[in-house]
Amino acid sequence: FDISVEGETTYIGSGRVTGTVQDQFSMSEYNGDIRVASTTDSWGRWWLTEGGEWEVIEPANHITILESDDAGTLEEISHLGGIAEGERIWSARFVGDMAYLVTFRNMDPLWTIDLSDPENPTILGELEVPGVSTYIHPLSNGDLLTIGMPGGENGLGLDWSHTQISMFNLSDLTAPSLADTQQLSPGYMDGDCT
């Protein structure tokens, strides 16, 4: 949709990608290209059965880049699949020529993906840390701040009773690192319920 004229919304075109989109941060327009992070699986789709039996589709994650043609159709110009198979995207963020994904099953990988060549997206790096980030925020120095939940006992599952804030150093996109993390406990756990 073109919303460049105040008070007007004009349909321009549409396209399709495989899977479901987590939230508004999983889509981005940049230099005329539409970038989409999506997950394919049976998440919440009870009707996916085979011969009366449940068909379990293991999650797979994708980055798809679409470009508009003259007819207004968004055509796929590239697809990067096979990202963290068996996990789902919990958060995504597109910043300039980069995409950042957090996937989760038991560990929380942060993925750095180079989109500078829209026809050839490339995974640059991955970092696994316990827990999961549900929101990614780019910082002015190029690093990332994330908000989520810490890992549960023995690094498995999630500790839903706490919030975790993490800062990731992206000075080397091929080897992102965890710069710092802070867990916040709810007020009722501090013994003061007033």
Side-chain angles (χ1 to χ4, degrees):
F1 293 90
D2 179 357
I3 58 171
S4 60
V5 177
E6 187 176 336
E8 291 184 25
T9 302
T10 306
Y11 171 77
I12 294 175
S14 60
R16 289 181 162 264
V17 298
T18 301
T20 57
V21 176
Q22 175 73 12
D23 57 25
Q24 71 270 29
F25 301 113
S26 297
M27 299 188 310
S28 166
E29 183 276 332
Y30 186 70
N31 291 336
D33 296 328
I34 305 296
R35 296 105 51 98
V36 182
S38 62
T39 301
T40 50
D41 65 358
S42 54
W43 181 273
R45 295 185 295 176
W46 52 267
W47 60 88
L48 290 179
T49 62
E50 185 175 307
E53 299 292 323
W54 288 98
E55 177 186 7
V56 177
I57 300 171
E58 283 296 311
N61 303 294
H62 316 269
I63 296 282
T64 306
I65 301 179
L66 307 166
E67 182 179 72
S68 183
D69 65 13
D70 293 334
T73 302
L74 294 171
E75 294 290 337
E76 180 179 308
I77 61 170
S78 65
H79 173 263
L80 177 63
I83 304 167
E85 292 186 4
E87 301 182 0
R88 297 191 93 259
I89 294 174
W90 278 58
S91 59
R93 197 64 177 243
F94 293 94
V95 181
D97 286 331
M98 293 296 297
Y100 304 103
L101 300 180
V102 170
T103 59
F104 180 77
R105 188 166 208 164
N106 288 322
M107 292 295 283
D108 172 9
L110 169 71
W111 299 83
T112 56
I113 302 170
D114 181 4
L115 304 177
S116 60
D117 178 358
E119 295 183 10
N120 187 30
T122 307
I123 295 173
L124 294 179
E126 172 191 1
L127 173 67
E128 290 190 356
V129 293
V132 68
S133 299
T134 56
Y135 175 74
I136 301 172
H137 190 81
L139 300 175
S140 60
N141 67 354
D143 290 343
L144 295 177
L145 176 78
T146 66
I147 301 172
M149 292 156 284
E153 292 196 26
N154 302 321
L156 299 176
L158 295 174
D159 181 352
W160 293 85
S161 66
H162 288 75
T163 298
Q164 180 168 283
I165 299 172
S166 302
M167 184 159 344
F168 293 91
N169 181 316
L170 300 181
S171 57
D172 180 356
L173 291 169
T174 63
S177 61
L178 180 62
D180 200 4
T181 187
Q182 177 68 43
Q183 289 187 22
L184 307 173
S185 61
Y188 67 83
M189 296 186 79
D190 295 334
D192 181 14
C193 294
T194 58

